[in-house]
Amino acid sequence: MAKRSSLSIRIVEGKNLPAKDITGSSDPYCIVKVDNEPIIRTATVWKTLCPFWGEEYQVHLPPTFHTVAFYVLDEDALSRDDVIGKVCLTRDTLASHPKGFIGWTHLTEVDPNEEVQGEIHLRLEVVPGVRASRLRCSVLEARDLAPKDRNGASDPFVRVHYNGRTQETSVVKKSCYPRWNETFDFELEKGASEALLVEVWDWDLVSRNDFLGKVMVNVQRLCSAQQEEGWFRLQPDQSKSHRGKGNLGSLQLEVRLRDETVLPSACYQPLVQLLCQDVKLGTQGPGRLIPIIEETTSAECRQEVATTLLKLFLGQGLAKDFLDLLFQLELRRTSEANTLFRSNSLASKSMESFLKVAGMRYLHGILGPIIDRVFEEKKYVELDPSKVEVKDVGCSGLHRPQTEAEVLEQSAQTLRAHLGALLSAICRSVRACPAMVRATFRQLFRRVRERFPSAQHQNVPFIAVTSFLCLRFFSPAILAPKLFHLRERHADARTSRTLLLLAKAVQNIGNMDTPGSRAKESWMEPLQPTVRQGVVQLKDFITKLVDIEEKEELDLQRALNALAPPPVKEGPLFIHRTKGKGPLASSSFKKLYFSLTTEALSFAKTSSSKKSTFIKLASIRAAEKVEEKSFGSSHVMQVIYTDDVGRAQTVYLQCKCVNELNQWLSALRKVSTNNTGLLGSYHPGIFRGDKWSCCHQKDKTDQGCDKTHSRVALQEWNDPLDHDLEAQLIYRHLLGMEAALREKQQLLRGATEAGISPTGCDGAPKDSLTQLLRVLQDLRQAHSSSLASPPPREPHHLLELQT
């Protein structure tokens, strides 16, 4: 049994933000922190006070997290970025919204006294005395304190207040992981109700000391327990808050917390086997489960259910059969060919998810070069005469205004070039398309042709394929390349317009250039010759794409399996190298191309060079961030592993931005999650000279001063499948619609009594719905038993006597 928490985050937009630049505007972006750990950075939206991001993320994290905060900042090229405001949501707030926290919320001022982080290790005990007992507080150490100084660290010390007395520890210079090991005694009066106050401060020589956090200890409860020891989370001091009342604008968010208790695999086997059996039987009989699940699933959760079912069947090798079943169900209830797969049905949503999971690398290979060219050229492109902006052209001193006709003609030439390059790339990509995707499109093509066999519907099978490939895959990626990981930043207004026009042209080709699509925007006429040619090219491409037999599909799959495992994550990184020894040693970062698979982390000089195995996957013990002060960069990670003789080694790798850092950390943590010997603690600094830069300990083999974050990871489209989690998510969904399932069961029983008996493919009566309800009941009992038993103790449990 394992407890898992995840956050579904959608950062929609902001409005009425204050102007931070002299131009009267701002360049806003968002940073998302979980317990003060930055995990997400959105793209910057330039020159606006009402930015739209529309970015979605899925974050896996430990159930013990406390808060998720959204910081809005203004990007500056020459100075530090300005903080505009923040929105902070506690775990309790998110838990009180089971369907998610959705809506607009006001940004609040970022108050230094509330920006606290980290934990402090205390030992508290009541010591009996002859006259009176004493309260003894041992201040041992702290970890992950907020860096308040320009050197990326703090100079922390602790003040302990009780019964009118105050005692202080010594100051530990330049550390966010200080160790004090100092003890203070206070006279303890009988019946005393005053709390013990422990405050952490950053010492400053010239300016005022900075507040780092506090802990309040209930002395009465301590007297009952006599002794307590553990890590205490530092809390902000509301009494020191000096929040302003200015209008900082608003942020629209959609945040949903999901807590799951995942049972052992054996508990889910009856459910998985029942669903797999249902897919194998196809559409025979009125009592099949997949049609009933589709019928009883509401529109608001259809995408989530589709994705979960698809991943479940992918893990069972039945994704193609599952999609084929959905195709047949959709075709059975469709009478008009022009409405086929146009709704947000379970078939449409499942196919969208399938293309993202199985075809994202294929998409990048086709669209990547074209999208890069559009971003690099930044040409002004416009076909709509009502939106044309006339500009000056010519040499210096000989400027003349460019005519509207010239703008339209140049724009048409640019778009024809991009569209031609895209069509050529698509036509050449038949062999590059994954065999599973080709086989699925083959099934779709055949099913549609069987349903609409007449000559007047000869284009319908092609349109069915393009409705997914062009309208739901290529076009959305062209419109929003960042959301498909094709670019790191959103496009500016000029580039966005080019992408929009290019996406419209692809949609027209996907619709087989029907008169209806042409009539909507007559100003797209200059592209019609290329569109008509594209229709011919695309039909030829689809004919070749679906021309794959089962033997060829198996051969391609075997050939793929015989090759090296596909990369989970790859890209350029900078590896840290040290030259020389002692005080004359120097360090630098060298750029190499790294590739992470389910077997090893490898590197090469370039992406096309031969790769050398660097770290075997089974030897990885931790993947963590490195303190900014260690290398002067906040985008450095460390991979701790054991070499061939069992010695612990650490390699330092620098990324180019916080998003890339978190993506690499997530990938490394997910592929090594089942490794034996994973570390529970690590050093966030480096061993320089004769001590660790983080905690100043002089033993290089000293136990780490911070806890690892192996359970914090971003979900990506190419994540390894988690069979038990997918089964648990399906169970939860089915449990939520149990009443509808029982109602359906009564209808089926009524049909049976009327002489219509649901049968299986062998003719034997099989009430699969009754079996499903019985399985749900068994799983409910298994969950109840797991809740009754004591949960496994967290390795880093936080003691909270009073907060």
Side-chain angles (χ1 to χ4, degrees), residues 174 636 670 695 771:
K174 299 179 182 178
V636 180
K670 282 179 284 194
C695 58
Q771 296 177 44

Side-chain angles (χ1 to χ4, degrees), residues 337 448-461:
V448 175
R449 189 167 55 186
E450 291 169 1
R451 175 66 178 81
F452 298 99
S454 63
Q456 65 177 2
H457 294 138
Q458 61 180 351
N459 277 341
V460 175

Side-chain angles (χ1 to χ4, degrees), residues 89-101 255 257 259:
L89 302 175
T90 65
R91 194 187 199 289
D92 292 339
T93 300
L94 294 172
S96 64
H97 293 78
K99 293 187 177 181
F101 180 92
V255 187
L257 170 66
D259 290 318

